[in-house]
Amino acid sequence: MVRIGTDWKHAAALLMRGALVALPTETVYGLAGRSDDPTVLRRIYAAKNRPGNNPLILHCANLDMVREVAHLDGEALQLAEAFWPGPLTLLLPRREGVLDEACAGLPRVAVRIPDSEQFRAVIAAVGVPLAAPSANMSGYVSPTRAEHVLAGLGTRVDHILDGGPCTAGIESTIVGWNADGVGEVYRLGALTQQVLADQTGRPYPLHQPDLQRPEAPGALAHHYAPHTPVCIDLPQPGDAWVTWSERAAEWSGEPGVHHHRLSATGDLAEAARNLYAALIELDGSGVKRICIEPFPESGLGEALRERVQRAAARPQNSSAA
Ligand code: TXA
Ligand code: MG
């Protein structure tokens, strides 16, 4: 039996002994394990059915711990000081000693300091960074509540620390630097490109992966998709209609359409907080399709659009790695 608990010291003791424990962060729940044990790292990939070429994020308690695994200076340090602890992941040159299993053998390692004080206390107690991908089966929607982890991973996880619903609700923004030293966003997320640019005075364009030779090919296989088809069409009877804008919230609805409001006031942060929970809940509700009102092409809307597009693009009958 997987136990859901609220005692972070118990979670830390289990992690220390090599267990896999789901921990809450401000973005989504992570499937954590100690990053200095190759067996633990391999168990993380196996539990999620995650391709081995899709590297993990190392979660650190503080900057000193980050420096034990990565080189942090220049603009990266500027962003780290501004946004950590918080929903920002940096791709940094790895130090010797970082296990290949943690970064899929790549020269850079992904690192972040999560906002949750409890998560940081757990990391500090374990004493080494915790590798933690989102605590879902690979390809499925990320969990934002402890119950989602239990429903998705079941006995593949040893313990779940319940910290209530995640406050941001979508994954961290990933930033890395190209060979010319230009900062790029590898994954849109809870921190917008504008907020990053306001901090350093430089733009952070989206990284364009070389599709012939992508750096982290496993990342391309991610779909964030429920089993029920997702679309951005208007709903038909039998469908769910997921909305965020004030105008759509007032819509009285057509018969047979299940209206689900992520926000009643057009608040995108609230919509982000509720999106994954809505997808997971509707996935088990028997609706024919999950139709989602298009998100705006700016700010947090960009990250939400991207998640919905990926969910909608899920190839039929794919086992979505
Ligand atoms: O908000 C988050 O980031 C959550 C919480 C738990 O911290 N974690 C999360 O982890 O979303 P995961 O494993 O689901 O997504 C990590 C992403 C993957 O798309 C992976 O390809 C990318 O980070 N990544 C990790 N290391 C990388 C590297 N060296 N180069 C390029 N991409 C990398
Ligand atoms: Mg994930």
Side-chain angles (χ1 to χ4, degrees), residues 8-239:
W8 69 264
K9 288 185 180 156
H10 178 61
L14 290 172
L15 283 159
M16 230 176 292
R17 295 203 293 270
L20 301 191
V21 178
L23 297 175
T25 83
E26 75 279 38
T27 58
V28 299
Y29 275 71
L31 178 63
R34 53 186 309 154
S35 62
D36 61 345
D37 182 337
T39 310
V40 170
L41 296 175
R42 284 196 288 270
R43 272 191 71 209
I44 293 180
Y45 284 93
K48 280 179 61 81
N49 199 13
R50 181 183 178 104
N53 58 7
N54 194 9
L56 308 173
I57 297 176
L58 298 192
H59 294 66
C60 295
N62 49 48
L63 287 182
D64 285 343
M65 195 181 261
V66 171
R67 290 199 170 94
E68 283 167 24
V69 290
H71 297 273
L72 176 64
D73 51 28
E75 197 181 307
L77 178 59
Q78 206 182 335
L79 290 181
E81 285 178 336
F83 298 110
W84 281 347
L88 172 68
T89 294
L90 297 177
L91 301 179
L92 301 172
R94 75 193 251 206
R95 282 194 195 276
E96 231 174 282
V98 174
L99 295 175
D100 276 343
E101 286 85 352
C103 49
L106 294 169
R108 291 190 296 187
V109 61
V111 186
R112 92 177 183 98
I113 301 182
D115 193 32
S116 154
E117 229 170 278
Q118 205 180 46
F119 195 149
R120 295 202 306 275
V122 172
I123 304 168
V126 178
V128 297
L130 293 176
S134 50
N136 51 286
M137 291 302 286
S138 193
Y140 196 69
V141 184
S142 298
T144 54
R145 294 172 192 198
E147 314 80 270
H148 299 161
V149 180
L150 186 64
L153 291 181
T155 54
R156 292 164 174 258
V157 55
D158 298 315
H159 185 72
I160 301 170
L161 183 65
D162 190 351
C166 300
T167 51
I170 58 166
E171 295 86 347
S172 61
T173 302
I174 302 181
V175 175
W177 283 264
N178 67 18
D180 302 323
V182 176
E184 297 177 330
V185 167
Y186 279 65
R187 178 177 70 185
L188 293 165
L191 266 189
T192 65
Q193 285 164 295
Q194 190 59 52
V195 167
L196 294 169
D198 288 346
Q199 188 61 39
T200 61
R202 299 186 190 192
Y204 290 88
L206 258 192
H207 170 72
Q208 301 299 334
D210 177 348
L211 293 178
Q212 301 307 315
R213 236 166 40 89
E215 211 178 310
L220 301 176
H222 267 220
H223 294 287
Y224 308 94
H227 304 300
T228 310
V230 169
C231 59
I232 38 182
D233 300 338
L234 285 171
Q236 310 277 325
D239 292 341

